[in-house]
Amino acid sequence: MNLHEYQGKEILSSFGVRIQRGIVAHNAKEAVDAAKQLTSETGTEWHVIKAQVHAGGRGKGGGVKLAKNIQEVEDIAGQIIGMDLVTPQTSAEGKRVHQVLVAEDVYYPGESEPDEYYMSVLLNRATGRNMIMYSTEGGMDIETVAEETPHLIYTEEVDPSTGLLPFQARRIAFNLGLSGTAFKEMTKFVNALYTAYVKSDSSLFEINPVLKTSDSKIMAVDAKVTLDENALYRHKDYVEMRDIREENPVEVEAKAVGLNYVDLDGNVGCMVNGAGLAMATMDLIKQAGGEPANFLDVGGTADAKRVEEAFRLILKDDNVKAILINIFGGIVRCDRVAQGVVDAYKNMGDAIKVPIIVRLQGTNADIAKELIDNSGLDVQSAVLFQEAADKVQAVLA
Ligand code: GDP
Ligand code: MN
């Protein structure tokens, strides 16, 4: 589950990670109040107004702006809230901004230049260990850094039995070229960040930039936090951080009825049981010259009700030109599924306007095929994987 920057920062702060302070605002007036409140706490008159959407690259898209007085706070907040923010990470239509974070300016001038670093905490799936990835090249696209100057990206792997050790935090501060107060601040920052990552059951922290202020404080200026949904039951207070406005509406609907659905760009709808078979089916569709329109795992029970729900979800996508149902009857019997498909089809009246290819394999596959073939509906049966692929190709041609 992805969070907004302000929510991510709340979590970081609750574990003692120093953050650029801010208050969320839903309109220009709230932004003005927020700025006044921050000024009374921090003393600074300057604020950054930051669009809160689930996408990075907001700065480049005009979603992060510096306001040097209250009038500018009001104007900039008014302009950003309600806009469709287009960034390198959004679609061409952009994302509607419902709220901004009014944050204290932390790039204030001082005895030295502020410095930006990159830092993330994530799971290295190859070693099964958490790692801290960091770089002196903060504030810019880490993908670009990886491409052009990969030697400037460092990693520090953490042994789960010891946790992050003091020498590792020191090595990070050293590699970032720090000394004196900033060095000590960085080791504290890294320790708090790692603790926060583990205790919040996150699957990704990406802090870009981590800032060294001109008076040598180390803080998180940005925060991309992804929580592990499988651990949400342990964090009741995080559950309400979900902002479904930021999520794909069909995926939200699917989740509500317990279906595992991921929206894709292609033209062939897929209805499959089991994630592995779903992946194989998507490959099959590509080989047949189509593109999968979605990933949909109906799970263990493919009865008429569930098949109907799955049909409805798939058909919300206008690009769908054919539907491939590929189900393995292991625990669930194929004839049951076939009956489910036929019943769902009939229940839906004339809602289904695209050809359907059904491949049922496993227990009672032959009875299932007969059921489909005798249904009188625009449903074609297939027994072999390749046969199903050929039939998809034929209806797309
Ligand atoms: P992103 O573009 O979505 O990654 O959003 P960020 O939160 O990283 O902000 C983008 C950029 O805004 C940062 O890289 C900074 O250069 C700049 N920025 C953020 N906070 C401040 C601030 O307090 N003062 C100034 N002057 N610039 C800031
Ligand atoms: Mn950033």
Side-chain angles (χ1 to χ4, degrees):
M1 176 173 121
N2 291 329
L3 299 182
H4 285 294
E5 173 195 359
Y6 79 93
Q7 298 166 324
K9 281 177 166 171
E10 254 170 49
I11 292 178
L12 294 187
S13 182
S14 73
F15 290 101
V17 179
R18 193 197 291 275
I19 55 161
Q20 172 195 40
R21 271 184 292 175
I23 298 172
V24 74
H26 303 88
N27 54 54
K29 183 179 173 302
E30 280 182 23
V32 166
D33 292 343
K36 286 181 178 159
Q37 169 82 27
L38 284 170
T39 300
S40 75
E41 289 169 15
T42 65
T44 174
E45 304 276 330
W46 290 15
H47 299 94
V48 267
I49 313 298
K50 313 180 77 177
Q52 297 299 290
V53 291
H54 287 190
R58 294 163 303 162
K60 283 188 195 133
V64 178
K65 289 198 169 140
L66 183 66
K68 298 190 175 178
N69 55 53
I70 287 293
Q71 189 57 51
E72 286 184 9
V73 168
E74 187 174 350
D75 294 347
I76 294 170
Q79 174 208 332
I80 294 181
I81 296 169
M83 82 187 282
D84 293 318
L85 180 63
V86 179
T87 86
Q89 292 183 18
T90 67
S91 66
E93 297 89 61
K95 286 205 138 188
R96 177 64 51 90
V97 182
H98 300 286
Q99 51 201 352
V100 292
L101 182 64
V102 180
E104 57 171 336
D105 168 47
V106 284
Y107 285 59
Y108 46 82
E111 53 280 13
S112 70
E113 277 291 295
D115 235 327
E116 293 179 322
Y117 313 108
Y118 172 92
M119 192 170 290
S120 55
V121 190
L122 66 164
L123 177 67
N124 180 350
R125 289 173 193 277
T127 60
R129 292 178 174 197
N130 291 328
M131 66 179 179
I132 300 174
M133 193 182 282
Y134 62 103
S135 175
T136 49
E137 308 305 288
M140 53 190 283
D141 242 11
I142 198 64
E143 288 79 8
T144 313
V145 181
E147 192 119 315
E148 291 169 7
T149 49
H151 60 284
L152 296 178
I153 298 181
Y154 303 88
T155 56
E156 190 69 49
E157 281 215 356
V158 182
D159 186 325
S161 59
T162 59
L164 184 72
L165 292 169
F167 85 89
Q168 295 184 292
R170 288 200 296 274
R171 178 153 64 194
I172 292 171
F174 179 80
N175 283 338
L176 290 174
L178 299 172
S179 59
T181 311
F183 186 99
K184 283 199 206 111
E185 280 272 319
M186 181 58 86
T187 58
K188 264 197 269 172
F189 182 88
V190 170
N191 271 312
L193 192 70
Y194 188 76
T195 303
Y197 176 82
V198 172
K199 294 226 166 125
S200 62
D201 286 312
S202 289
S203 56
L204 174 72
F205 274 6
E206 188 177 50
I207 318 297
N208 189 20
V210 172
L211 189 78
K212 179 180 74 115
T213 62
S214 54
D215 50 359
S216 295
K217 290 194 188 96
I218 302 293
M219 66 171 72
V221 164
D222 193 4
K224 178 181 165 60
V225 169
T226 305
L227 299 173
D228 179 353
E229 292 195 25
N230 295 314
L232 268 183
Y233 72 95
R234 299 206 282 212
H235 303 280
K236 298 281 185 281
D237 47 333
Y238 296 168
V239 174
E240 61 202 43
M241 290 184 172
R242 163 160 265 139
D243 186 349
I244 58 166
R245 294 173 301 187
E246 297 289 324
E247 297 178 16
N248 180 303
V250 185
E251 291 179 12
V252 171
E253 207 174 307
K255 200 170 286 170
V257 296
L259 289 168
N260 188 0
Y261 174 97
V262 180
D263 201 26
L264 300 168
D265 295 329
N267 53 2
V268 183
C270 316
M271 194 188 302
V272 185
N273 67 339
L277 187 57
M279 302 294 250
T281 305
M282 287 159 63
D283 286 348
L284 180 81
I285 288 169
K286 279 202 176 233
Q287 251 177 21
E291 283 288 333
N294 66 276
F295 168 106
L296 192 152
D297 175 6
V298 294
T301 47
D303 57 12
K305 185 166 169 291
R306 243 174 129 67
V307 172
E308 192 176 329
E309 276 162 352
F311 271 139
R312 288 194 196 283
L313 288 168
I314 291 172
L315 291 168
K316 284 189 192 248
D317 183 345
D318 292 335
N319 297 326
V320 169
K321 298 288 175 277
I323 297 175
L324 172 59
I325 301 177
N326 192 6
I327 296 210
F328 175 71
I331 295 169
V332 55
R333 279 165 27 210
C334 292
D335 54 324
R336 279 256 180 111
V337 178
Q339 194 61 52
V341 170
V342 171
D343 291 348
Y345 199 116
K346 287 183 177 159
N347 280 344
M348 291 180 69
D350 54 0
I352 300 178
K353 296 194 168 62
V354 297
I356 296 179
I357 293 101
V358 185
R359 172 182 179 255
L360 293 162
Q361 189 58 278
T363 312
N364 291 353
D366 42 350
I367 306 175
K369 184 169 165 33
E370 251 179 65
L371 262 166
I372 298 288
D373 291 344
N374 298 333
S375 68
L377 303 170
D378 186 9
V379 182
Q380 306 181 36
S381 67
V383 177
L384 300 175
F385 226 133
Q386 188 56 49
E387 187 189 352
D390 293 343
K391 288 190 169 166
V392 169
Q393 193 163 29
V395 298
L396 288 179

